[in-house]
Amino acid sequence: MPVARPESSDSRVIAHIDLDCFYVQVEQRKQPQLRGLPTAVVQYNEWKGGALIAVSYEARKFGVKRSMRGEEAKEVCPQIQLVQVPVAHCKADLSTYRNAGSEVVSVLSRKGRCERASIDEVYLDLTHVAETMLLETPPESLEEIDEEALKSHILGLRIEEGTDAIENVREWMCRSNAQHKDKLLACGILIVAELRRQVLKETEFTCSAGIAHNKMLAKLASGMNKPAQQTVVPFSSVKGLLGSLPIRKMKQLGGKLGVALQVDLGVNNVGDLLQFPEAKLQEHYGVNTGTWLWNIARGIDGEEVEGRLLPKSHGSGKSFPGPRALKTISSVQYWLNQLCEELNERLCSDLDQNKRIAHTLTLHVRAYKSSDTDSQKKFPSKSCPLRYGTAKIQEDAFNLFQAGFREYIGFYGVKTQGIQCNGWGITALSISASKIVPLPSGTCSIMKYFHGPSTSNSSKQLVDNSILEVSPLSPSGGERCSEVNSCEPKIEFLGEEERWNKDPLPVLGQEEEERSILKGQDPSCSSSKAQDGVIQETSLVIPTGVARFLEQNQSTQPRELAWNDSQVKSEHKEHKRKMKDKGTPSILKFFKSCNPSGPSESQEQVQTLQENGTTSSDSTSYPSGQRREAWSYRIDEIDPAVIDELPPEIQDELRAWMQPHKQPNVVNRGSIARYFSPIRKT
DNA sequence: ACGGATTCGACC
DNA sequence: TGGTCGAAT
């Protein structure tokens, strides 16, 4: 449900920037010979030519639409160029589009506050920039107005007979008797025109934009003149605009709420809402939504542009429609493994590029159960703390699946499950990582130390490889692979009960296992092998060192630990500077020396896995006394006096971790220890 | 038996 | 808070 927010300033300048048929543009940049041709991007489904997910404007002229299949598109536009979405891990891989979106964000974020709203949409709060421009170089003072700006569409501006639209725009932008609000918008026009030019120059992508006093109107406007144009909503034109705007066109009203308004109140245009008192709307749709509706009817939307350039979560999913529904646990496991591989890669990139770590892993499943009466029952979503490394994510994801599956099937189903599934099928799987927070600055410097020579022994590798990827080494025909489940391993299926209690995963042949170890291939992170090595390394050494050391010296003085962005950044720089001076991995030696049992941790883990055969979700299987809460050690329990006893480099690190700050917006308590923890409960 | 794959936000 | 639901692209 949408909710009303107070307006922060009485006259903001907000822009919504929307990339035109973005995926198509990305493909056309890659293959310039496609430029100007009717083109569509298809997700290769093999079924009826795949599903269209983006259509060029040339193709739209022929009536080609998203929601068509490739074959239908060919019917209405035989010359259409169909480009497939890249495939990785036997599934559609959107990373090239995601990265292209980031390119655009990095250009747009130069001006004002920037919010990445989706893969191809950005909001900008240009209020300050516009105010400054109005003071320093107002449009009327310019001898020449940007041509792109002059091509803007200004809603409500009447084009006078015999005059050029461009001249009308110029006049509107420069008239000295304009309201302050409109002058700000005029500055917005110039700023956005310039930004769009920059985007085109630096990324080769065209975009459309809406400029208004709030997000809702800006978003509405950006879609009104596409492609490669911009539209402005002056305050004076709001009433006219909304008066005849079909309710369903409004953001947030395209679904059930919009239908409800039509059905309950006979509201067809946004303007129709004006006749209802706020209380009436609240009666029907709750106080929050009621107020929100009352506001949007008047063009009021206080939603702030969040300064956020990066996604809040990463997800990887795949659907298995109809006859392709997954019917065996091992095929589910196979696909989960694929999804987790992709997720891990993206998490590694994020860690690498943005120094962020995710804390929660969530599994979503869609399933059907034909047999039972309650076939409408939903497969429950499950989540758990996120541990880094492909194998760990795979393991945890599978555990989440099993937990959900048991609930979903119920107790009857479980026993009767055999080789053949009893009427259930999995029609979609998706795994996602959320609660992504910036890595505390200190950790970055710590990690630098571990780029040096590795202390690895083969058992460490075994840890990661013992939970084997069931996947083929490299799927040959990517598309075929995503079509039929042809690259799924044909693993015989033990029956649920046994599987759950014995080996959590089907295991490859012995030679296969040895080969992958010998190759030294670390499958968990392709973007930066070294990075992944770092994680594993530190996970085996550092936390025990810190935790054990501190454990012996802890006091009970509690301390809040939170971060504030600018401080994090300045600390980051500070540390970089310090570390430059002394590049010796003294911290490594220190942790090793105070952690004699550290390196054996890996063996401990292997042992657990091999002997118990069970997944690591039960930490009770650890030798008593070894484990305790040391891994989830709370930094806020550290006695500051203890720090003085540590070597200077480590003092710096710990002080950075412990620094108290005002905004408790980021949860970092014990984050380092948790992050590196080899075992977490699910 | 669908448009897929994501992402985000609100509610309870 | 985790999980569910809705909405958008």
Side-chain angles (χ1 to χ4, degrees), chain A residues 409 411-422 496-497:
Chain A
I409 289 292
F411 293 105
Y412 314 104
V414 176
K415 296 226 161 144
T416 57
Q417 294 309 310
I419 294 261
Q420 82 283 41
C421 63
N422 259 10
E496 310 309 317
E497 295 238 283

Side-chain angles (χ1 to χ4, degrees), chain A residues 11-177:
Chain A
S11 187
R12 296 180 292 162
V13 176
I14 307 296
H16 179 257
I17 318 279
D18 197 336
L19 279 296
D20 307 316
C21 55
F22 187 44
Y23 294 3
V24 168
Q25 285 205 75
V26 172
E27 297 300 339
Q28 287 178 331
R29 184 175 72 169
K30 199 154 56 184
Q31 302 181 61
Q33 74 274 16
L34 295 179
R35 286 215 151 104
L37 301 179
T39 306
V41 174
V42 295
Q43 219 145 219
Y44 200 49
N45 270 325
E46 186 89 338
W47 189 57
K48 300 193 176 180
L52 272 57
I53 57 176
V55 181
S56 78
Y57 285 85
E58 293 85 354
R60 291 183 202 194
K61 289 181 199 154
F62 291 85
V64 178
K65 295 201 271 214
R66 277 187 312 232
S67 87
M68 280 184 167
R69 312 293 310 189
E71 290 177 2
E72 300 173 65
K74 282 279 186 191
E75 283 170 21
V76 298
C77 178
Q79 70 276 46
I80 194 169
Q81 308 290 313
L82 298 179
V83 184
Q84 302 175 208
V85 173
V87 172
H89 305 290
C90 301
K91 63 181 286 299
D93 178 19
L94 305 182
S95 52
T96 58
Y97 310 127
R98 238 175 251 122
N99 294 336
S102 301
E103 288 180 46
V104 175
V105 167
S106 74
V107 174
L108 293 177
S109 60
R110 288 175 200 156
K111 284 269 170 61
R113 186 172 349 132
C114 178
E115 173 182 333
R116 182 176 191 163
S118 80
I119 199 165
D120 67 343
E121 284 176 291
V122 161
Y123 285 99
L124 295 175
D125 187 331
L126 299 170
T127 309
H128 277 315
V129 198
E131 279 169 348
T132 307
M133 177 185 279
L134 190 55
L135 285 175
E136 295 174 358
T137 59
E140 50 197 304
S141 76
L142 302 174
E143 62 219 36
E144 191 175 26
I145 302 280
D146 183 342
E147 196 188 325
E148 189 57 41
L150 291 175
K151 287 194 250 172
S152 299
H153 301 262
I154 298 175
L155 294 187
L157 179 66
R158 61 171 200 287
I159 312 288
E160 287 173 33
E161 292 290 329
T163 64
D164 206 348
I166 283 186
E167 288 311 314
N168 288 77
V169 172
R170 189 199 306 279
E171 207 275 325
W172 186 89
M173 289 179 68
C174 297
R175 78 212 146 109
S176 51
N177 63 338

Side-chain angles (χ1 to χ4, degrees), chain A residues 73-371:
Chain A
K74 282 279 186 191
E75 283 170 21
V76 298
C77 178
Q79 70 276 46
I80 194 169
Q81 308 290 313
L82 298 179
V83 184
Q84 302 175 208
V85 173
V87 172
H89 305 290
C90 301
K91 63 181 286 299
D93 178 19
L94 305 182
S95 52
T96 58
Y97 310 127
R98 238 175 251 122
N99 294 336
S102 301
E103 288 180 46
V104 175
V105 167
S106 74
V107 174
L108 293 177
S109 60
R110 288 175 200 156
K111 284 269 170 61
R113 186 172 349 132
C114 178
E115 173 182 333
R116 182 176 191 163
S118 80
I119 199 165
D120 67 343
E121 284 176 291
V122 161
Y123 285 99
L124 295 175
D125 187 331
L126 299 170
T127 309
H128 277 315
V129 198
E131 279 169 348
T132 307
M133 177 185 279
L134 190 55
L135 285 175
E136 295 174 358
T137 59
E140 50 197 304
S141 76
L142 302 174
E143 62 219 36
E144 191 175 26
I145 302 280
D146 183 342
E147 196 188 325
E148 189 57 41
L150 291 175
K151 287 194 250 172
S152 299
H153 301 262
I154 298 175
L155 294 187
L157 179 66
R158 61 171 200 287
I159 312 288
E160 287 173 33
E161 292 290 329
T163 64
D164 206 348
I166 283 186
E167 288 311 314
N168 288 77
V169 172
R170 189 199 306 279
E171 207 275 325
W172 186 89
M173 289 179 68
C174 297
R175 78 212 146 109
S176 51
N177 63 338
Q179 285 188 5
H180 182 67
K181 285 178 157 199
D182 284 345
K183 289 186 175 179
L184 284 178
L185 285 185
C187 294
I189 289 178
L190 291 167
I191 296 161
V192 172
E194 173 64 22
L195 282 170
R196 288 176 47 236
R197 185 199 318 285
Q198 289 290 324
V199 168
L200 182 59
K201 186 175 138 204
E202 298 183 35
T203 69
E204 300 179 30
F205 299 137
T206 67
C207 56
S208 300
I211 301 147
H213 292 306
N214 60 52
K215 286 172 91 172
M216 172 195 91
L217 294 171
K219 163 89 179 166
L220 212 50
S222 72
M224 301 185 74
N225 295 283
K226 290 186 123 238
Q229 297 166 76
Q230 59 186 53
T231 306
V232 191
V233 187
F235 180 72
S236 56
S237 70
V238 171
K239 193 166 179 180
L241 169 64
L242 298 182
S244 59
L245 184 76
I247 193 94
R248 311 284 307 279
K249 298 256 182 200
M250 182 69 79
K251 193 183 167 205
Q252 299 276 255
L253 295 180
K256 294 183 178 183
L257 183 54
V259 172
L261 283 166
Q262 292 179 300
V263 173
D264 300 345
L265 305 178
V267 169
N268 287 310
N269 293 329
V270 177
D272 300 345
L273 277 173
L274 286 170
Q275 57 194 333
F276 300 96
E278 184 173 2
K280 186 80 171 180
L281 298 171
Q282 289 177 330
E283 276 173 34
H284 278 262
Y285 309 105
V287 276
N288 286 333
T289 305
T291 299
W292 180 82
L293 286 168
W294 191 89
N295 281 331
I296 63 127
R298 291 156 181 80
I300 299 168
D301 170 29
E303 203 65 37
E304 286 290 326
V305 174
E306 305 292 330
R308 183 176 50 76
L309 309 182
L310 300 171
K312 289 180 153 182
S313 66
H314 299 292
S316 173
K318 176 161 176 61
S319 64
F320 308 93
R324 295 194 301 186
L326 306 183
K327 311 231 172 201
T328 67
I329 299 292
S330 34
S331 65
V332 168
Q333 185 165 38
Y334 168 82
W335 283 109
L336 275 181
N337 285 346
Q338 298 296 317
L339 299 178
C340 291
E341 277 179 25
E342 186 195 328
L343 182 61
N344 183 67
E345 279 169 21
R346 289 172 52 197
L347 289 172
C348 285
S349 307
D350 202 338
L351 177 58
D352 228 18
Q353 296 165 17
N354 310 315
K355 308 287 177 249
R356 303 192 303 168
I357 57 173
H359 282 82
T360 303
L361 183 72
T362 306
L363 174 76
H364 294 276
V365 177
R366 210 173 62 219
Y368 67 80
K369 209 174 14 167
S370 55
S371 60

Side-chain angles (χ1 to χ4, degrees), chain A residues 538-549 591 594-595 597-598 601 631:
Chain A
T538 45
S539 73
L540 299 174
V541 183
I542 287 206
T544 25
V546 175
R548 298 236 169 94
F549 180 87
F591 281 121
C594 84
N595 174 34
S597 62
E601 200 73 45
W631 290 102

